[in-house]
């Protein structure tokens, strides 16, 4: 949607029509139009910053952002990306670490959370982090150390849903494999065997 | 030579294999033209719109191998709209109707449909090799047709294509009788494949030398495949994730030791750094290593790996290797000829992974370096001058500073002198890409010194028409010129219109060329197609000649306007 690129003219028409007045521009309502100095603009070198910065309300017709226009309009900070730069094919695929976001649900909790498994290097780190997130609950360590919640005496088992939709106990599969292919969603289910004792 | 019978001359021509040489030979005299055309088996067409399939078939009845290129290079960076062109369908239809016994088809930046692939697979009984690079428009159904119908298929090589994955069973479509595969590359496919079929296919392909897997092939399958194919020369690993203490991983380590023919390693589309040590035994013999698609390998992982690769000739890597890591490359890889350093985070200048320092280290340590693609956050004139002193064998030099108008951070000067030094000392330079703050001066140097230059890519550079004129006047061998966002206009475009007949193509986008000038050029030069790409919302083009043109692509052609242009392209 680059309607702003409609017309870029070298100079005003000899017939006296002022093209600038009829040009479409980007502008917030109420912003004054800045008359462009057609001739001088041509001679001047096009700067990268002109191409990047979205000068809303400016008659700078050289702004050519193409589809990234939409994004730029939302956040007119000059870190806007220019179409086709850097000139690397498929850069979106290179080097980008895959984010493995999974939903975490806890029995009895009113809302779910999302964690990126990629940032953890071991089960222990993940469970510690989950404990922080759901600090009102105590999570049973996957190595089978007993941890009873002091407040309500209920213990939680970390479980996950695998590709086939089955609920599995966390810890059987090596961490790396878990991260890459196993986990679809994590859950913390009330351990059926350990009901409140006190 | 004309005293010899035709067969003798033809036999001599058999030894002439390069396209350029065969083209020259055909121009000597009518007799040679005739002998050459009947004996020509391989044809390369750099622009599919420069000729028609009918004329190709008429001239070269013995054609066996065809290479076609479609869209302009800047299409790789989303500068060419969808549906611009480059359709292979008319070519395959025409070839299918003819008596040409096509055996090999190589396409780059073309639009390929499933129907085309199916027609291809059924029309040429001796078809052996399909190579698709940066193509789009097809699905795994088309790939399945190739697998099913090409009985003597040797090569199926899919590189960086946009393929709609129907998660079908294309791999299972290779019949049990197909045992001829030499090269199979499906790394760019996104979907799951039938792992058991893959194992069986590899098991019955004794000639398999090159295998590049996609991300959906896990490590345990890799281990089984390598057991079946220890003779592999080129391996592309798909998923490389496992627990290093597992039994599967131990098996993999063992089988890798047996794969001592592997010279080329790539992929790692998913990787656990702790598993990389299993690769070390084959690093000794590697000549090509491509880790540019491997996510999550840190600088030290990369450095540790590279330290084992003494015989490396080509290295493609991400910039997280860092300047220090490049230093390790420089001291280890003395045979290095080609280096490509890709950006891992193109938009985050805060993490300056490689700078001019890394490049200088490489230039000092690798005397055979002749090809460079280097994405970095900054460059200095001093560094480029040093590189030019150290390396005089560059054939390809492509430097991309991520902020494209960045000056030398030390002196605040443009990078004219640095690039000038590069072109002055590298007399064999054929391809050059510029970036950084640059004035007309750099083009003066290029026109003066880059006498063998064939392809030049320019962005956000220059001050005036003089810049472009220096290049057009000085670079006698120029074939492809692509320019974006530079202040070059009508004066430069129209100064020497005949020049464009000596070139394959010219691309200019976001420059200062007017519609009027393009019209003049198109009128004076009927042998050129001048295309204007206008993506604005207007339904019809303004007839105002003063309109500045968004994107212009012109190319020489023998067959006039193409019939398949989309609505937004204006052919003058």
């Amino acid at each position: 949607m680059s309607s702003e690129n409609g017309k870029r003219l070298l100079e005003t028409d000899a017939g006296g029509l002022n093209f600038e007045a009829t040009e479409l521009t980007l502008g917030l309502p109420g912003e004054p139009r800045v008359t462009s100095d057609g001739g001088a603009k041509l001679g001047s070198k096009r700067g990268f910053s002109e191409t990047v910065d979205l000068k809303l309300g400016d008659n700078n017709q050289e702004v050519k952002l193409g589809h990234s226009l939409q994004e730029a309009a939302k956040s007119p900070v000059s870190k806007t990306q220019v179409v086709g730069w850097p000139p690397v094919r498929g850069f979106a695929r290179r080097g980008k670490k895959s984010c493995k976001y999974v939903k975490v649900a806890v029995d009895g909790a009113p809302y779910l959370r999302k964690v990126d498994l990629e940032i953890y290097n071991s089960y222990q780190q993940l469970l510690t982090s989950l404990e922080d997130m759901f600090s009102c609950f105590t999570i049973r360590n996957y190595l089978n150390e007993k941890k009873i919640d002091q407040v309500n005496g209920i213990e939680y088992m970390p479980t996950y849903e695998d590709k086939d939709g089955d609920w599995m106990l966390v810890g059987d599969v090596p961490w790396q494999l878990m991260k890459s292919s196993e986990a679809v969603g994590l859950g913390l289910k009330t351990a059926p065997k350990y009901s409140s004792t006190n | 030579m004309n005293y010899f019978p035709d067969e003798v001359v033809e036999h001599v021509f058999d030894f002439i294999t390069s396209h350029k040489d065969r083209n020259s030979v055909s121009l000597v005299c009518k007799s040679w033209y005739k002998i050459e055309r009947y004996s020509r088996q391989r044809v390369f067409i750099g622009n599919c719109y420069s000729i028609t399939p009918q004329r190709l078939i008429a001239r070269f009845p013995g054609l066996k191998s065809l290479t076609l290129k479609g869209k302009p290079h800047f299409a790789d960076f989303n500068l060419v709209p969808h549906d611009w062109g480059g359709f292979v369908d008319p070519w395959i239809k025409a070839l299918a109707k003819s008596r040409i016994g096509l055996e090999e088809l190589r396409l780059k930046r073309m639009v390929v449909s499933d129907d085309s692939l199916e027609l291809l697979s059924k029309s040429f009984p001796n078809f052996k090799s399909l190579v698709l690079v940066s193509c789009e428009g097809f699905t795994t159904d088309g790939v399945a047709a190739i697998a099913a119908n090409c009985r003597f298929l040797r090569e199926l090589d899919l590189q960086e294509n946009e393929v709609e994955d129907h998660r079908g069973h294309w791999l299972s479509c290779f019949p049990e009788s197909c045992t001829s595969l030499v090269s199979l590359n499906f790394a760019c496919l996104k979907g799951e494949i039938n792992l058991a079929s893959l194992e069986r296919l590899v098991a019955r392909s004794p000639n398999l030398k090159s295998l590049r897997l996609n991300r959906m092939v896990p490590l345990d399958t890799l281990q089984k495949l390598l057991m079946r194919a220890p003779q592999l020369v080129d391996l592309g690993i798909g998923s490389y994730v496992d627990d290093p203490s597992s039994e599967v991983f131990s098996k993999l380590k063992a089988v890798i030791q047996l794969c001592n023919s592997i010279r080329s390693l790539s992929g790692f589309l998913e990787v656990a750094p702790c598993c990389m040590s299993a690769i070390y035994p084959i690093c000794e013999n590697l000549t090509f290593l491509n880790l540019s698609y491997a996510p999550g390998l840190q600088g030290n992982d990369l450095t540790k790996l590279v330290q084992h690769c003494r015989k490396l000739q080509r290295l493609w890597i991400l910039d997280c290797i860092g300047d220090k890591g490049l230093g390790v490359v420089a001291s280890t890889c003395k045979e290095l000829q080609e280096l490509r350093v890709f950006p891992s985070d193109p938009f985050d200048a805060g993490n300056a992974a490689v700078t001019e320092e890394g490049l200088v280290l490489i230039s000092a340590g690798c005397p055979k370096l002749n090809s460079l693609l280097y994405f970095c956050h900054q460059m200095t004139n001093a560094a480029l001058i040093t590189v030019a002193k150290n390396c005089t064998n560059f054939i390809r030099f492509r430097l991309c500073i991520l902020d494209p108008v960045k000056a030398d951070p030390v002196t605040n000067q443009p990078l004219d002198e640095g690039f000038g030094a590069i072109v002055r000392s590298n007399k064999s330079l054929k391809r050059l890409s510029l970036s950084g703050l640059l004035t007309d001066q750099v083009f003066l140097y290029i026109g003066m010194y880059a006498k063998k230059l064939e392809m030049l890519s320019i962005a956000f550079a220059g001050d005036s028409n003089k810049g472009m004129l220096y290049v057009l006047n000085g670079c006698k061998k120029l074939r492809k010129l692509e320019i974006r966002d530079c202040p070059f206009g009508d004066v430069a475009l129209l100064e020497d219109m005949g020049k464009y007949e000596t070139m394959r193509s010219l691309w200019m986008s976001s420059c200062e060329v007017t519609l009027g000038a393009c019209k003049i050029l198109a009128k004076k030069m009927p042998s050129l197609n001048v295309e204007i790409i206008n993506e604005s919302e207007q339904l019809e083009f303004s007839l105002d000649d003063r309109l500045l043109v968004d994107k212009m692509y012109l190319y020489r052609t023998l067959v006039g306007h193409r019939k398949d242009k989309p609505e937004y392209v204006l052919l003058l």
Side-chain angles (χ1 to χ4, degrees):
Chain A
M1 301 283 276
S2 43
S3 53
E4 89 291 359
N5 291 339
K7 291 179 183 288
R8 297 193 297 134
L9 300 176
L10 272 179
E11 59 214 295
T12 52
D13 180 55
L17 275 178
N18 181 1
F19 281 101
E20 276 131 37
T22 56
E23 271 175 329
L24 294 174
T25 63
L26 292 165
L28 297 173
E31 292 235 14
R33 276 166 166 254
V34 176
T35 44
S36 70
D37 184 358
K41 190 154 286 286
L42 269 188
S44 67
K45 176 179 162 160
R46 179 197 316 282
F48 177 68
S49 54
E50 285 172 355
T51 319
V52 171
D53 290 350
L54 187 58
K55 291 178 181 157
L56 298 178
D58 196 341
N59 258 11
N60 186 350
Q61 294 296 303
E62 294 165 62
V63 173
K64 205 150 277 106
L65 294 172
H67 67 271
S68 56
L69 203 59
Q70 313 275 358
E71 292 143 26
K74 287 177 203 152
S75 57
V77 179
S78 53
K79 217 40 172 122
T80 323
Q81 301 166 18
V82 173
V83 174
W85 195 267
V88 54
R89 192 186 154 79
F91 76 81
R93 288 206 307 264
R94 291 185 196 278
K96 287 278 172 75
K97 288 182 69 165
S98 45
C99 292
K100 182 75 185 187
Y101 275 105
V102 293
K103 285 191 213 172
V104 182
V106 175
D107 277 356
Y111 47 77
L112 286 68
R113 300 293 299 265
K114 261 210 166 150
V115 282
D116 176 8
L117 293 186
E118 287 295 334
I119 65 178
Y120 302 110
N121 290 323
S122 69
Y123 280 116
Q124 194 52 54
Q125 284 183 13
L126 169 66
L127 291 172
T128 311
S129 176
L130 289 180
E131 265 196 20
D132 291 337
M133 262 190 225
F134 296 96
S135 50
C136 45
F137 307 114
T138 304
I139 304 166
R140 186 199 220 195
N141 187 289
Y142 83 107
L143 288 174
N144 252 337
E145 288 167 19
K146 287 190 184 183
K147 264 187 172 176
I148 306 286
D149 188 309
Q150 298 303 322
V151 173
N152 60 11
I154 295 179
E155 198 180 61
Y156 287 83
M157 313 276 295
T159 56
Y160 69 96
E161 184 183 1
D162 73 0
K163 289 186 282 228
D164 302 323
D166 301 319
W167 282 101
M168 317 282 291
L169 188 65
V170 160
D172 291 327
V173 179
W175 173 246
Q176 292 292 350
L177 203 55
M178 163 85 159
K179 237 183 6 176
S180 62
S181 53
E182 286 287 295
V184 171
L186 286 167
L188 296 169
K189 305 233 176 242
T190 18
K193 288 192 216 167
Y194 302 87
S195 50
S196 53
T197 50
N198 258 42
Chain B
M1 280 284 271
N2 280 350
Y3 301 118
F4 295 117
D6 286 1
E7 305 83 65
V8 174
V9 179
E10 187 183 318
H11 185 62
V12 173
F13 286 178
D14 279 348
F15 293 95
I16 302 171
T17 47
S18 104
H19 293 294
K20 274 193 185 139
D21 290 342
R22 289 207 74 121
N23 293 346
S24 306
V25 150
S26 68
L27 293 174
V28 167
C29 63
K30 279 202 178 129
S31 159
W32 280 29
Y33 176 89
K34 185 173 137 229
I35 298 170
E36 198 282 320
R37 72 176 258 257
Y38 280 109
S39 62
R40 176 96 76 133
Q41 294 187 345
R42 317 181 66 88
V43 175
F44 169 86
I45 297 176
N47 173 5
C48 63
Y49 291 117
S50 60
I51 192 75
T52 59
Q54 289 74 21
R55 283 180 63 165
L56 168 75
I57 292 165
R59 180 167 170 190
F60 298 114
L63 181 68
K64 292 212 164 77
S65 163
L66 176 62
T67 302
L68 277 173
K69 292 189 179 181
K71 299 185 204 174
H73 175 234
F74 274 178
D76 282 355
F77 318 129
N78 299 324
L79 288 177
V80 176
H82 194 52
D83 278 353
W84 171 85
F87 306 105
V88 79
D89 198 56
W91 292 85
I92 294 183
K93 282 209 173 96
L95 287 162
K97 270 204 212 117
S98 75
R99 284 149 133 220
I100 301 265
L102 195 69
E103 294 184 11
E104 182 178 302
L105 185 63
R106 310 167 70 94
L107 305 177
K108 187 167 186 179
R109 277 186 225 106
M110 294 201 72
V111 178
V112 180
S113 67
D114 284 346
D115 286 344
S116 301
L117 289 175
E118 187 171 350
L119 182 60
L120 176 70
S121 74
K122 291 182 171 161
S123 308
F124 306 105
N126 266 340
F127 193 75
K128 296 194 171 71
S129 168
L130 180 64
V131 181
L132 301 178
V133 180
S134 303
C135 296
E136 53 163 357
F138 60 105
T139 77
T140 43
D141 294 346
V143 180
I146 298 288
N149 302 323
C150 300
R151 298 173 54 208
F152 302 114
L153 195 68
R154 286 198 201 146
E155 182 175 24
L156 177 58
D157 186 357
L158 306 173
Q159 295 177 34
E160 300 199 11
N161 302 290
E162 297 290 331
V163 185
E164 195 180 303
D165 202 315
H166 289 169
R167 286 177 176 74
H169 302 283
W170 66 270
L171 250 182
S172 317
C173 290
F174 281 104
E176 290 300 316
S177 55
C178 174
T179 57
S180 47
L181 270 183
V182 175
S183 167
L184 178 63
N185 174 5
F186 60 94
C188 67
L189 296 185
K190 303 206 175 74
E192 286 175 9
I193 50 142
N194 188 320
L195 298 176
S197 288
L198 177 60
E199 286 176 50
R200 282 197 304 273
L201 179 63
V202 169
R204 65 176 187 275
S205 303
N207 298 321
L208 193 67
K209 292 279 186 292
S210 169
L211 179 63
R212 296 194 182 189
L213 310 168
N214 77 350
R215 200 162 167 259
M216 294 306 185
V217 180
L219 192 140
D220 65 319
T221 304
L222 172 67
Q223 180 262 321
K224 291 182 200 159
L225 295 172
L226 292 179
M227 290 280 282
R228 304 283 197 177
Q231 78 282 2
L232 282 179
V233 171
D234 170 22
L235 174 64
I237 290 180
S239 171
Y240 194 66
V241 174
D242 204 345
D243 188 331
S245 61
S246 75
E247 196 189 323
V248 169
F249 192 71
S250 310
K251 281 196 201 158
L252 178 73
K253 276 201 288 204
V255 75
I256 284 185
Q257 309 260 14
L258 302 174
C259 299
N260 46 29
S261 300
I262 295 182
R263 297 287 172 271
S264 162
L265 189 60
S266 62
F268 297 95
L269 305 175
E270 195 175 62
V271 54
C274 52
C275 295
M276 291 307 279
S277 56
I279 299 294
Y280 295 166
I282 45 174
C283 287
E284 296 259 319
N285 292 319
L286 284 183
T287 55
F288 177 40
L289 177 62
N290 181 358
L291 293 171
S292 66
Y293 279 108
L297 289 177
Q298 299 302 320
N300 9 340
D301 303 314
L302 297 173
T303 309
K304 270 196 281 186
L305 189 68
V306 157
Q307 274 172 325
H308 292 88
C309 304
R310 307 197 150 273
K311 296 204 185 130
L312 216 53
Q313 293 173 13
R314 295 165 61 214
L315 175 64
W316 295 19
I317 204 144
L318 287 173
D319 64 358
C320 40
I321 191 174
D323 287 330
K324 275 218 190 95
L326 288 179
V328 174
V329 173
S331 52
T332 311
C333 309
K334 295 304 183 186
E335 301 297 314
L336 197 69
Q337 296 174 25
E338 175 178 320
L339 175 67
R340 296 195 189 192
V341 179
F342 292 94
S344 44
D345 197 346
F347 303 112
D348 179 13
N351 181 27
V354 298
T355 67
E356 73 277 9
E357 288 181 21
L359 184 59
V360 168
L361 289 170
I362 292 282
S363 72
C366 306
K368 299 191 180 175
L369 195 67
N370 62 38
S371 176
L372 180 76
L373 172 60
Y374 196 75
F375 285 84
C376 59
H377 288 268
Q378 63 179 49
M379 184 54 57
T380 64
N381 282 312
L384 284 174
I385 291 167
T386 305
V387 170
K389 275 207 199 90
N390 293 337
C391 296
T392 57
N393 297 320
F394 276 120
I395 300 172
R396 276 169 239 111
F397 190 90
R398 293 151 72 189
L399 184 69
C400 180
I401 302 168
L402 291 168
D403 174 352
V405 290
K406 200 172 157 98
D408 179 331
V410 171
T411 62
N412 252 341
Q413 293 299 302
L415 292 176
D416 303 332
E417 296 306 311
F419 279 104
I422 294 285
V423 294
R424 201 160 38 234
S425 75
N426 286 278
K427 309 220 184 301
S428 311
L429 195 66
K430 283 192 182 166
R431 183 168 180 185
L432 178 64
S433 298
L434 307 170
S435 59
L437 185 66
L438 295 163
T439 72
D440 284 345
Q441 185 71 9
V442 73
F443 300 112
L444 174 70
Y445 291 140
I446 292 172
M448 228 190 313
Y449 297 111
K451 291 307 183 188
K452 298 260 170 80
L453 195 67
E454 296 182 10
M455 181 169 178
L456 179 62
S457 309
I458 312 171
F460 304 101
D463 306 311
S464 75
N465 286 314
K466 281 201 278 193
M468 186 168 164
L469 286 170
Y470 290 140
V471 171
L472 291 175
N473 291 334
C475 298
K476 303 293 182 200
K477 300 265 178 168
L478 196 63
R479 291 191 297 116
K480 287 180 278 184
L481 180 58
E482 44 186 30
I483 306 172
R484 64 165 291 181
D485 294 273
C486 295
F488 304 144
D490 298 346
V491 168
L493 182 71
L494 297 179
E495 161 98 357
D496 178 8
M497 293 189 261
K499 171 81 177 170
Y500 307 124
E501 272 181 338
T502 69
M503 292 167 55
R504 185 188 297 172
S505 64
L506 168 67
W507 169 283
M508 291 180 77
S509 60
S510 306
C511 295
E512 295 177 2
V513 166
T514 65
L515 182 59
C518 293
K519 284 184 183 170
I520 293 170
L521 181 56
K523 190 156 183 214
K524 286 247 166 73
M525 306 292 301
S527 58
L528 301 177
N529 274 356
V530 180
E531 297 194 8
I532 309 295
I533 295 173
N534 186 348
E535 295 168 90
S536 78
E537 293 265 290
Q538 298 170 280
L539 291 173
E540 49 183 76
F541 295 88
S542 159
L543 294 175
D544 195 311
D545 286 356
R546 286 162 305 163
L547 187 70
L548 283 182
V549 151
D550 220 359
K551 295 172 182 170
M552 179 205 70
Y553 179 55
L554 66 83
Y555 50 88
R556 68 180 174 191
T557 177
L558 294 175
V559 293
H561 285 183
R562 60 183 173 115
K563 311 280 186 297
D564 61 0
K565 70 171 193 69
E567 270 190 23
Y568 55 77
V569 168
L570 175 64
L571 277 170
L572 300 177

